[in-house]
Amino acid sequence: MRESVAIYPGSFDPLTLGHDDIIRRSLRLFDRLVIGVAHTATQSKSGLFSVAERVELIREAYADESRVETVAFSGLLVEFARERGARILIRGLRAVSDFEYEFQMALMNRSLWPEIEVLFMTPDTAHTFLSSSLVRQVGRLGGDVSKFVLPLVHGRMTERFAASDGE
Ligand code: PNS
């Protein structure tokens, strides 16, 4: 039987517990999961980690999970998915406010590659308010973000903020 491969794309700056929740749920449904870290606008000034750092961090976070592969990509997501043999595209849906943008993206992606199937998954209610941009902002302002990210990510964020304090 052909193995099922899903793709979970995003900016992941940083990876949050909401992402982790969706990743764990996806692993229950599919044989393999490709996490695609996009080269997007969040690399600008408001960004926290470079794309290479995010990839490294996610690889470390799932080092024990051989079914997870983390890769950076640029260009069209559907092209990247096709190259990786992933026909299932996972996106997390937290609230109604996410819906319009996600729906538009899903239909655009499907019109670009009709074979792709977009699957929306909701994280645990404890994580529905989480977003990377809020975690970045709270962390930058000295708030405690340890309950929003994995300990590994928290450690790396703390180092990053300490390093940028002197700037
Ligand atoms: O975590 P994000 O920032 O909401 O992820 C958005 C992402 C990376 C999935 C989206 O920007 C994307 O797919 N970028 C790749 C370029 C692309 O294919 N754009 C057309 C999407 S309809």
Side-chain angles (χ1 to χ4, degrees):
M1 223 170 67
R2 195 167 65 177
E3 63 173 2
S4 55
V5 186
I7 188 155
Y8 182 40
S11 307
F12 304 107
D13 189 26
L15 176 86
T16 67
L17 290 184
H19 295 129
D20 180 66
D21 184 308
I22 299 290
I23 291 167
R24 306 255 166 231
R25 284 170 199 280
S26 304
L27 285 171
R28 282 192 227 141
L29 295 175
F30 306 105
D31 297 322
R32 287 201 297 117
L33 183 68
V34 178
I35 301 178
V37 182
H39 282 272
T40 59
T42 56
Q43 279 170 278
S44 65
K45 269 202 324 211
S46 63
L48 182 59
F49 296 115
S50 70
V51 169
E53 287 169 332
R54 294 176 222 170
V55 168
E56 186 61 37
L57 204 47
I58 301 171
R59 282 184 183 160
E60 276 182 54
Y62 301 101
D64 291 344
E65 189 43 87
S66 59
R67 296 185 299 133
V68 173
E69 185 191 8
T70 308
V71 197
F73 77 98
S74 46
L76 280 180
L77 169 60
V78 286
E79 290 305 328
F80 174 62
R82 203 191 327 239
E83 280 163 22
R84 293 273 150 183
R87 268 191 272 205
I88 300 141
L89 169 57
I90 311 275
R91 289 289 290 170
L93 205 56
R94 293 162 300 189
V96 179
S97 50
D98 281 343
F99 181 76
E100 205 169 334
Y101 169 64
E102 292 297 336
F103 188 61
Q104 203 177 7
M105 268 211 307
L107 293 182
M108 174 58 86
N109 281 325
R110 200 161 65 187
S111 76
L112 292 171
W113 187 30
E115 280 182 53
I116 200 144
E117 208 53 73
V118 183
L119 199 74
F120 294 120
M121 298 181 81
T122 43
D124 189 282
T125 44
H127 303 131
T128 46
F129 65 95
L130 273 185
S131 74
S132 294
S133 56
L134 274 185
V135 169
R136 278 201 307 273
Q137 195 185 100
V138 171
R140 268 206 181 101
L141 297 172
D144 177 12
V145 293
S146 60
K147 43 184 191 294
F148 308 136
V149 295
L150 297 168
L152 171 74
V153 176
H154 185 237
R156 215 58 63 85
M157 286 180 78
T158 307
E159 279 168 27
R160 181 54 46 97
F161 294 136
S164 57
D165 256 0
E167 281 175 15

